Amino acid sequence: MDQLAILQLDTNFPRIAGDICCRETFSSNVNIIKIKNASVSQIISKNPEEQHFINFKNQILTTREKLITTSCGFTFYWQSLFNKLTKSNIVTSSLCCLEEKRKYFNDNEILIFTFDAEILKFLLISKLKIPFKGHILGLKKNNHLYKTISYDKNNYDFEKNSSELKELLWQTIKNLNIKLMILECTNLSPYKTIFRDIFRGEIVDLLVLIDKKIPGIIKQEYL
């Protein structure tokens, strides 16, 4: 049996090395399971449909891997509910580290890089006991990566994404004292090397959290 199960949204855009849904990211086999009809627009929502929770729930109930995770940080909505469904360890999102990291960093030293900033703010307000007052950076709707993910396109352009994401991040952090960056969106993980060109602080994504649970399962170059 594989050690890790990844519950993937029902998408078909390319997944490159460093992405959680690319097998090249891992040093051993993982079980990647698409959740039928769980589209980006339906999961990244202020009011995700109950049916999608049920679809995830049904899959979790039949999944036996040691660790279960997802391809979308916005499933953090359901982290506590998922925990009750299985004896397996569940880490829905890199956001699972936020409360622990707040013990070591002030909110104003933390940046969360996400797919949609407005919806993420709504999610955190509903899920955190103490409001997060740090920085949240979302993709711009004219960014190539945003369009690729939103419209599930097969037009992936790594160089264009790299340029746009690097500029977006730099314009955000250049006048801030950011010491920790959390990548909510798993599709940002392949760009960590590029982010490190301009950011010297700690970067945490879902791959980092997975590797702490199952050491060595992520290839070192993607951590």
Side-chain angles (χ1 to χ4, degrees):
M1 179 184 294
D2 300 326
Q3 291 185 292
L4 174 65
I6 301 161
L7 308 184
Q8 179 186 335
L9 298 193
D10 195 357
T11 58
N12 296 294
F13 62 83
R15 304 285 185 151
I16 64 172
D19 188 292
I20 196 169
C21 290
C22 177
R23 295 187 185 279
E24 180 62 27
T25 303
F26 302 92
S27 59
S28 59
N29 194 48
V30 296
N31 187 14
I32 300 177
I33 307 159
K34 278 191 181 183
I35 304 300
K36 188 176 180 181
N37 297 324
S39 69
V40 170
S41 62
Q42 291 167 323
I43 299 302
I44 301 177
S45 166
K46 292 181 180 179
N47 295 292
E49 293 182 20
E50 178 68 16
Q51 181 58 50
H52 296 305
F53 168 75
I54 294 171
N55 290 345
F56 276 91
K57 173 183 175 180
N58 290 341
Q59 185 60 59
I60 289 170
L61 290 173
T62 61
T63 298
R64 297 291 177 262
E65 280 75 12
K66 174 182 177 180
L67 177 64
I68 302 171
T69 189
T70 81
S71 71
C72 180
F74 283 82
T75 56
F76 184 67
Y77 284 115
W78 300 316
Q79 173 74 35
S80 60
L81 295 175
F82 287 169
N83 282 338
K84 298 174 183 178
L85 299 176
T86 177
K87 293 181 179 180
S88 297
N89 198 341
I90 294 188
V91 181
T92 54
S93 168
S94 60
L95 296 173
C96 291
C97 81
L98 180 58
E99 293 288 51
E100 180 65 21
K101 290 297 184 181
R102 293 173 88 186
K103 297 176 183 178
Y104 306 100
F105 298 95
N106 296 324
D107 278 6
N108 63 6
E109 297 174 328
I110 301 173
L111 173 73
I112 301 174
F113 201 168
T114 181
F115 176 77
D116 189 301
E118 181 182 352
I119 296 177
L120 182 64
K121 288 174 186 176
F122 184 87
L123 166 61
L124 294 181
I125 288 170
S126 67
K127 292 300 178 183
L128 298 180
K129 292 180 181 179
I130 301 175
F132 178 66
K133 297 181 180 179
H135 308 277
I136 299 177
L137 172 62
L139 294 177
K140 304 304 179 185
K141 293 188 177 180
N142 63 349
N143 286 154
H144 182 76
L145 184 60
Y146 185 94
K147 293 177 181 177
T148 298
I149 296 170
S150 294
Y151 303 111
D152 204 17
K153 292 186 174 183
N154 194 34
N155 63 341
Y156 204 98
D157 188 328
F158 181 80
E159 295 303 324
K160 187 174 182 63
N161 289 339
S162 298
S163 176
E164 290 183 348
L165 293 173
K166 188 173 183 178
E167 178 65 16
L168 177 61
L169 179 60
W170 173 244
Q171 291 302 325
T172 301
I173 68 172
K174 62 181 181 180
N175 295 316
L176 299 175
N177 183 33
I178 303 299
K179 296 181 179 178
L180 169 68
M181 181 162 61
I182 299 174
L183 304 182
E184 172 281 316
C185 179
T186 61
N187 307 120
L188 292 172
S189 291
Y191 301 91
K192 281 188 287 190
T193 300
I194 291 154
F195 297 154
R196 289 187 176 113
D197 287 342
I198 57 172
F199 177 67
R200 296 292 181 257
E202 181 180 357
I203 299 177
V204 176
D205 65 354
L206 188 51
L207 300 182
V208 170
L209 300 189
I210 290 170
D211 197 67
K212 287 182 178 179
K213 300 289 185 182
I214 310 176
I217 194 170
I218 309 295
K219 290 181 180 177
Q220 188 62 36
E221 58 264 39
Y222 303 122
L223 289 173

